[in-house]
Amino acid sequence: MKAYLDNAATTRLDPEVLEVMLPLMTEQYGNPSSIHSYGRAVRSAIERARKSIAGILNAAPAEIFFTSGGTEADNTAIRSSIETLGLKHAITSRIEHHAVLHTLEHLEKTGQIQLSFVDINDQGEIDLGHLESLLNANPRSLVSLMHGNNEVGNLLDLQVAGDLCEQHNAVFHCDTVQTMGHYRHDLQQLKTQFIVGAAHKFHGPKGVGFLYVRPGLKINPFVHGGAQERNMRGGTENIYGIVGLAKALEIAYRDMDIHRRHIEGLKVRMTEKLLASIEGVKFNGNSGQLEKSLYTVLSVSLPPSDISDMLLFNMDIAGIAVSGGSACSSGTEIGSHVLNELKIDPDRANVRFSFGKYNTEQEVDYAVEILAELYQKERIVI
Ligand SMILES: Cc1ncc(COP(=O)(O)O)c(C=O)c1O
């Protein structure tokens, strides 16, 4: 048996998505910038995709810019807004994805901004009171906080964070890579200036994503070159990727309630089975609380044991694909920056299970069985 439980890393392509992508890899091969019929056919496919995504998110097509994925969308929002809007200060947290963290740290290192980190508690929750005092001291900052944390699944209250940013005239970039396609985003309600998406996190193709830019916010391109994306992102478009992205988001929204129920069921099942079969098991961040974390992510903390180092390897041998991550015990180890910030005991092993619509109860049961067996063996040896 095999179990792919690493859907926060990437997801399997939906066959319905592949079907709409294939013609753009074969007969519809024009360059969308060409004015002949081959080019025009592909151009209209791209614009249909843009319109569809905008409609789903309650935005206008001109507010959607296609990119090579989440990282480029995050980089564009951050680097272009700092450069164009003359912002001198940014606020983020230490548990952001590296697409955000490393970008902001680079801007700080090169003297383009001052960077402040909002406090988080040991559960990984953002201290919104501290965010407010940082904003009081530095109005008109760039605030970059993620919606759903990819390692521990913590969810940010976008309404509260958005209100605070609005009150302080801050520019709010929210990394929505882990929630796009899994939660509904209504851009008429959200107070974010930028949100992002990466198709491969919701059963679309890899290497394509998008950036939403609030109208009225005029920013320079991040990738310079041709006039594609209305001069905002040079380079011949990833045409099959863009068409696949739109289809994947359409399916995600069409089937969201059914899939959410199914996936939540898997997460609850795994939580209960782990608690029943491994003594001392815990959950990192808010991952064990359904309403406060991504329903797709369960970050498990296992009691210290001799098998910790080999855990992921042994699970892989058993056909189970998951992600790991450790808090570091010595200065030389790097470990997971998120788990380190949550001050997790470095002797405990951590496994991130992340679920998707194709997972089954059998896969969940199998993964728990293998994990429990590994721990059981360990106890007998000792
Ligand atoms: C929260 C978050 N932001 C950004 C990214 C980067 O997305 P991509 O791999 O599409 O560049 C990821 C992907 O793991 C992510 O989980």
Side-chain angles (χ1 to χ4, degrees):
M1 172 140 189
K2 279 172 93 87
Y4 182 80
L5 294 167
D6 202 14
N7 289 276
T10 199
T11 58
R12 190 171 119 194
L13 192 74
D14 188 315
E16 271 193 81
V17 173
L18 179 63
E19 203 179 309
V20 299
M21 291 172 69
L22 283 173
L24 289 123
M25 294 178 185
T26 51
E27 69 265 26
Q28 291 173 33
Y29 52 83
N31 185 320
S33 297
S34 301
I35 54 164
H36 48 61
S37 63
Y38 290 78
R40 289 199 310 275
V42 177
R43 161 69 45 218
S44 62
I46 291 181
E47 295 316 318
R48 271 199 307 278
R50 197 188 311 280
K51 198 168 164 207
S52 166
I53 294 168
I56 286 170
L57 301 176
N58 206 4
E63 296 155 17
I64 305 294
F65 298 90
F66 294 116
T67 66
S68 64
T71 302
E72 189 193 318
D74 283 337
N75 267 265
T76 307
I78 294 170
R79 300 188 69 151
S80 296
S81 62
I82 294 292
E83 183 188 290
T84 319
L85 306 175
L87 308 173
K88 296 277 176 263
H89 183 258
I91 301 169
T92 191
S93 85
R94 293 193 193 274
I95 59 168
E96 299 301 305
H97 191 274
H98 282 149
V100 166
L101 219 41
H102 287 172
T103 308
L104 286 166
E105 283 166 355
H106 168 77
L107 293 172
E108 185 192 36
K109 217 182 294 166
T110 51
Q112 298 173 68
I113 53 162
Q114 279 192 322
L115 186 57
S116 301
F117 291 96
V118 65
D119 291 343
I120 56 164
N121 62 18
D122 289 356
Q123 285 290 108
E125 292 168 347
I126 301 289
D127 182 341
L128 291 164
H130 186 227
L131 175 62
E132 186 168 19
S133 54
L134 286 173
L135 283 166
N136 277 331
N138 309 276
R140 198 61 187 159
S141 292
L142 172 70
V143 173
S144 183
L145 293 172
M146 71 205 312
H147 187 195
N149 185 279
N150 51 300
E151 288 200 38
V152 291
N154 282 20
L155 283 169
L156 176 72
D157 187 332
L158 282 192
Q159 216 54 49
V160 177
D163 284 342
L164 283 175
C165 289
E166 187 182 61
Q167 285 155 22
H168 295 85
N169 199 21
V171 174
F172 185 15
H173 160 249
C174 184
D175 180 339
T176 46
V177 166
Q178 288 293 340
T179 52
M180 186 60 64
H182 301 287
Y183 292 78
R184 292 179 197 279
H185 295 99
D186 179 347
L187 284 157
Q188 299 313 307
Q189 301 298 322
L190 289 178
K191 290 179 174 165
T192 47
Q193 269 70 37
F194 302 106
I195 67 166
V196 301
H200 70 113
K201 306 290 188 184
F202 47 93
H203 306 283
K206 294 167 188 39
V208 64
F210 70 91
L211 168 68
Y212 161 83
V213 181
R214 177 89 41 206
L217 212 58
K218 188 81 201 77
I219 57 166
N220 291 336
F222 169 59
V223 176
H224 294 267
Q228 290 90 351
E229 296 300 285
R230 300 175 311 292
N231 290 310
M232 266 293 286
R233 201 269 185 181
T236 301
E237 296 88 338
N238 174 359
I239 54 172
Y240 26 83
I242 289 169
V243 168
L245 159 65
K247 184 69 180 176
L249 198 63
E250 287 161 19
I251 297 169
Y253 268 69
R254 183 191 73 197
D255 301 339
M256 194 179 287
D257 297 340
I258 305 168
H259 290 149
R260 182 173 180 155
R261 261 199 307 280
H262 170 64
I263 298 167
E264 273 181 358
L266 297 178
K267 177 168 168 170
V268 170
R269 186 180 181 94
M270 178 163 270
T271 308
E272 289 171 356
K273 289 205 167 228
L274 284 172
L275 285 169
S277 51
I278 302 176
E279 211 182 306
V281 73
K282 293 198 288 195
F283 304 103
N284 296 317
N286 284 337
S287 165
Q289 294 166 265
L290 206 49
E291 69 293 351
K292 284 188 170 182
S293 65
L294 292 167
Y295 59 87
T296 47
V297 170
L298 184 64
S299 175
V300 179
S301 163
L302 295 150
S305 96
D306 282 355
I307 59 153
S308 293
D309 290 346
M310 297 296 281
L311 195 58
L312 292 201
F313 176 73
N314 281 319
M315 292 185 78
D316 188 27
I317 299 275
I320 302 164
V322 288
S323 277
S326 57
C328 55
S329 49
S330 74
T332 51
E333 282 177 53
I334 296 174
S336 148
H337 69 289
V338 176
L339 298 181
N340 281 334
E341 288 302 321
L342 269 57
K343 303 191 181 62
I344 283 161
D345 176 356
D347 292 331
R348 294 180 73 90
N350 301 285
V351 180
R352 180 190 69 181
F353 292 99
S354 50
F355 314 97
K357 64 180 180 180
Y358 294 125
N359 286 130
T360 61
E361 290 185 348
Q362 288 73 20
E363 285 176 301
V364 165
D365 295 354
Y366 176 62
V368 175
E369 191 187 305
I370 294 292
L371 199 54
E373 229 174 67
L374 289 168
Y375 268 81
Q376 199 55 40
K377 268 198 204 135
E378 151 78 0
R379 250 182 235 129
I380 292 163
V381 172
I382 283 175

